[in-house]
Amino acid sequence: MKETYKDYFSQKTAAERYAKGRPRFHFPVIERIKKYLALDEPFALALDVGCGTGLSSAALKEIAERVVGVDVSAAMLRQAPAASGIEYALASAENLPFGAAEFDLVTISQAIHWIDKQRFYAEADRVLKPGALVVAYDNLFQGEMLGNSEFKDWYQTRFLREFPVPPRGARAFSSASENARDFVLLHEESNENALEFSAREFVDYLVTISNVIAKVENGARPIAEIDEWLTNGIAPFFNGSRRKFLFISPIWFLRRNY
């Protein structure tokens, strides 16, 4: 059977690592979304597609009275903490179990490259109220440690050789039409995001990315072996201290071109 993104995130082990080690970058991004949209009051109802373990849904609640988070992985959803005003549903981005024109906003965080965009656009167009937006965002690790140029060489020549990027779609959006449902890119911005980790926290992050998940959850290498390999590999760059790493957080605002 051909491997799909669903295989990467469907396992309990991957979900547990994700809940533990994924960086909490979402709240600053939501603040930038709020600023661009010049929101004076929260949305009544927002949909968070590909919500994973609920980190993005919790942040989205800052600008919405009610949030519905959906994900294709039941294991991921079981790791999402209960919170007032947030509910979760097992569903794919391409088949949303909601009626027409229900939502005031649709967001998708760190998942646009895993889905069939055209089918997602058709569903987003259906469930959004007229004129409402799709906002996609990400947090892209640049493979750089601030203040230590040698780490980038280790990341590119050692880590990516051991754990190559698995097949996935493009994150970028066209400035013209996104085809099927004629979503257009209304606005795009990108911000640098320096995140600080201890050595243990950084290993916990690295074992959440799809490069590693594709190896572990599909049986190629045991997580204990990978954890040891990563711990030994990054140790010289930390020396018992906390270090900062460069991420880029792009945000894309898309609107149906009626």
Side-chain angles (χ1 to χ4, degrees), residues 12-13 21 50 75 99 113 134 139 145 163 178 207 245:
K12 177 184 178 183
T13 49
H113 52 297
V134 170
N139 194 49
M145 175 188 283
F163 307 101
E178 284 288 322
V207 297
F245 294 83

Side-chain angles (χ1 to χ4, degrees), residues 5-221:
Y5 77 94
K6 298 178 181 65
D7 300 314
Y8 300 147
F9 303 108
S10 62
Q11 300 298 315
K12 177 184 178 183
T13 49
E16 289 173 343
R17 296 200 310 276
Y18 204 97
K20 177 182 179 182
R22 208 65 176 174
R24 271 64 171 166
F25 73 95
H26 307 78
F27 283 91
V29 174
I30 292 296
E31 282 300 309
R32 290 195 285 271
I33 292 170
K34 179 180 179 180
K35 180 178 179 180
Y36 173 74
L37 297 177
L39 293 180
D40 294 324
E41 56 185 32
F43 294 104
L45 181 61
L47 176 64
D48 185 28
V49 174
C51 67
T53 59
L55 298 177
S56 52
S57 299
L60 183 56
K61 184 64 174 58
E62 294 290 298
I63 59 170
E65 293 178 355
R66 292 175 53 222
V67 170
V68 178
V70 299
D71 200 275
V72 74
S73 169
M76 286 283 186
L77 291 176
R78 281 193 287 270
Q79 295 294 322
S84 177
I86 303 176
E87 58 186 273
Y88 297 100
L90 183 66
S92 72
E94 301 89 351
N95 188 19
L96 297 171
F98 308 109
E102 285 194 36
F103 294 94
D104 302 288
L105 176 72
V106 169
T107 60
I108 181 164
S109 172
Q110 298 193 290
I112 196 70
H113 52 297
W114 293 121
I115 67 175
D116 183 323
K117 278 188 181 181
Q118 296 308 311
R119 291 173 61 199
F120 165 62
Y121 290 138
E123 284 291 84
D125 180 61
R126 182 180 63 82
V127 303
L128 277 171
K129 294 178 180 178
L133 300 181
V134 170
V135 179
Y137 65 95
D138 214 317
N139 194 49
L140 311 177
F141 181 48
Q142 301 301 293
E144 297 181 27
M145 175 188 283
L146 300 185
N148 190 331
S149 60
E150 293 181 0
F151 174 83
K152 186 173 184 178
D153 180 68
W154 177 87
Y155 184 77
Q156 293 179 342
T157 63
R158 298 292 307 281
F159 179 82
L160 291 179
R161 185 183 300 166
E162 289 285 328
F163 307 101
V165 178
R168 56 191 182 190
R171 289 183 171 94
F173 295 89
S174 168
S175 60
S177 171
E178 284 288 322
N179 300 319
R181 291 288 173 164
D182 288 324
F183 274 87
V184 295
L185 185 61
L186 180 66
H187 174 70
E188 178 180 359
E189 60 182 74
S190 189
N191 300 275
E192 288 191 354
N193 183 18
L195 297 181
E196 185 177 87
F197 299 85
S198 68
R200 181 64 255 172
E201 289 167 346
F202 192 61
V203 170
D204 288 342
Y205 162 64
L206 289 177
V207 297
T208 71
I209 65 177
S210 57
N211 308 47
V212 174
I213 288 174
K215 290 272 189 179
V216 176
E217 270 61 43
N218 291 323
R221 292 181 69 176

